[in-house]
Amino acid sequence: MGVDCHHPESAQPGLEGLALADAVAAAANKCERTRERLTPPRRRVLELLLEADGPMKAYDLIAAYGQDGEPAKPPTVYRALDFLERLGFAHRIESLNSYVPCRMEGSSHRAAFLICECCGTAEEFEPDFAPQFAAAEAAGYAVRTVTLEARGLCPACKPEA
Amino acid sequence: MGVDCHHPESAQPGLEGLALADAVAAAANKCERTRERLTPPRRRVLELLLEADGPMKAYDLIAAYGQDGEPAKPPTVYRALDFLERLGFAHRIESLNSYVPCRMEGSSHRAAFLICECCGTAEEFEPDFAPQFAAAEAAGYAVRTVTLEARGLCPACKPEA
DNA sequence: GCCTCAGCGTTATGAAATAACATAACCAGG
DNA sequence: CCTGGTTATGTTATTTCATAACGCTGAGGC
Ligand SMILES: [Zn+2]
Ligand SMILES: [Zn+2]
Ligand SMILES: [Zn+2]
Ligand SMILES: [Zn+2]
């Protein structure tokens, strides 16, 4: 991952079996409550994100889309990603051109990530934007969204303390 | 720019004439001090960034590269951008796939941007990452770089208070 | 001088995202 | 029902963004 250190694969195993089904069901419930539709392509892309061991590229999703090995057409996946982002079920990581399922409980939140340059994991955390937000307001800005991506080494990949 | 409000062009006019020459000369000096080479393509791309009224896309730079109208080849510009980023003369804005010249005085700094979704300006500011940094360290992460991009409306484009 | 290597020019290709338009499913009102 | 507005999908093609690979050149150390 750009830094030469060779740790095993991602420390963030994807969901399987029941856990996966539960996560999808939770999303479905949330959609019902807000009268949004978790249609087949949307559900499929959400599954793929949840199953994955780390951030997925759009074209990884496209390739993995069909259970029979048939890829999806790009718009299918990009539309599903738009939906999942809008509902807060997934986040785009700008600096990786990649997508992850949301790992936070609370519904609407501002996402931020700690990205390991060795093993590729991207851990979501709940940032405190107070200082930046205050600075922006002071300058007269009306902030709508904030992207924060910190890159470095995760505990597992960090050369021992 | 995604939000329907129609303000005039970017509020960040590019440099011209003397100011431009000064800025380039300053970069050249800094390179000399660190034994880095501000070669013609690097200088040219820096000029283009400084002249611009706002964030420039890589292919905008490619198109504008030749004084005679001849575009550059993509690698020429991407290499120059890599250099300028490395030296701190330019920054990439991930959420726009765009580049801006560095507007801050201090040499090595962590860049952050306030991006107006109406007029397209991207104002650089010096963020205080203390809280996020502390949180990351507490989690065992060794943070190397941080990307922060806040999107919203600038004072000029904000519906009057 | 000679070597080394960073930088460059060039061709080609790969990766990421969207435009545009036709079709199909959903749903509320009549 | 059915009909019209709305939302979502299927499909083709294209655009936009970025890098691989290779050979050449010229600056600077010895
Ligand atoms: Zn989240
Ligand atoms: Zn790691
Ligand atoms: Zn800067
Ligand atoms: Zn503005």
Side-chain angles (χ1 to χ4, degrees):
Chain A
M1 292 297 305
V3 166
D4 71 312
C5 87
H6 327 271
H7 290 276
E9 284 306 287
S10 165
Q12 279 190 309
L15 304 182
E16 316 173 20
L18 271 173
L20 175 60
D22 285 354
V24 173
N29 287 338
K30 202 159 157 194
C31 284
E32 245 171 71
R33 266 179 268 125
T34 55
R35 290 210 261 298
E36 295 279 357
R37 298 163 57 197
L38 190 62
T39 59
R42 294 168 175 179
R43 173 185 297 260
R44 178 62 181 145
V45 171
L46 177 57
E47 276 176 13
L48 289 170
L49 289 175
L50 289 166
E51 287 169 352
D53 292 337
M56 291 279 277
K57 302 237 171 202
Y59 274 72
D60 294 341
L61 296 167
I62 287 167
Y65 184 86
Q67 283 90 344
D68 53 0
E70 277 304 295
K73 306 291 172 64
T76 301
V77 165
Y78 279 105
R79 285 164 178 163
L81 288 170
D82 286 346
F83 171 85
L84 296 172
E85 279 197 274
R86 183 163 59 79
L87 276 282
F89 295 139
H91 301 294
R92 171 179 168 83
I93 301 183
E94 296 286 350
S95 61
L96 298 177
N97 287 355
S98 296
Y99 302 84
V100 292
C102 179
R103 308 268 188 202
M104 305 293 285
E105 293 299 322
S107 51
S108 180
H109 65 114
R110 295 161 181 273
F113 292 91
L114 293 168
I115 301 161
C116 179
E117 290 176 321
C118 170
C119 66
T121 59
E123 184 175 333
E124 184 171 355
F125 71 102
E126 184 86 54
D128 171 14
F129 285 137
Q132 287 89 358
F133 196 83
E137 299 270 294
Y141 275 81
V143 175
R144 201 177 54 76
T145 65
V146 178
T147 299
L148 195 159
E149 298 171 10
R151 311 172 61 88
L153 294 178
C154 76
C157 296
K158 190 166 60 170
E160 53 276 12
Chain B
M1 289 294 307
V3 166
D4 70 312
C5 87
H6 328 269
H7 290 277
E9 284 307 286
S10 166
Q12 280 190 307
L15 305 183
E16 317 172 20
L18 271 173
L20 175 60
D22 284 353
V24 173
N29 287 338
K30 202 159 155 194
C31 284
E32 244 171 70
R33 268 179 266 125
T34 55
R35 289 212 261 298
E36 295 279 357
R37 297 164 55 198
L38 189 64
T39 59
R42 293 167 175 180
R43 173 185 296 258
R44 177 61 180 146
V45 171
L46 177 58
E47 277 176 13
L48 289 170
L49 288 174
L50 289 166
E51 286 169 353
D53 291 337
M56 290 279 277
K57 302 236 172 203
Y59 274 71
D60 293 341
L61 295 166
I62 288 167
Y65 184 86
Q67 283 90 343
D68 51 0
E70 277 304 295
K73 306 290 171 63
T76 301
V77 165
Y78 280 105
R79 285 164 178 160
L81 288 171
D82 286 346
F83 171 85
L84 295 172
E85 279 197 273
R86 183 163 60 78
L87 276 283
F89 296 139
H91 301 295
R92 171 178 168 84
I93 300 182
E94 296 287 350
S95 61
L96 299 176
N97 287 356
S98 295
Y99 303 83
V100 291
C102 179
R103 307 271 188 199
M104 306 293 285
E105 293 298 323
S107 52
S108 179
H109 65 113
R110 295 163 181 272
F113 292 92
L114 294 168
I115 301 161
C116 180
E117 290 176 319
C118 170
C119 67
T121 57
E123 184 176 331
E124 184 171 356
F125 73 101
E126 185 88 54
D128 171 16
F129 285 137
Q132 286 90 356
F133 197 83
E137 298 269 294
Y141 275 80
V143 175
R144 200 177 54 77
T145 65
V146 179
T147 298
L148 195 159
E149 297 172 12
R151 310 172 63 88
L153 295 177
C154 77
C157 296
K158 190 166 59 170
E160 52 276 14

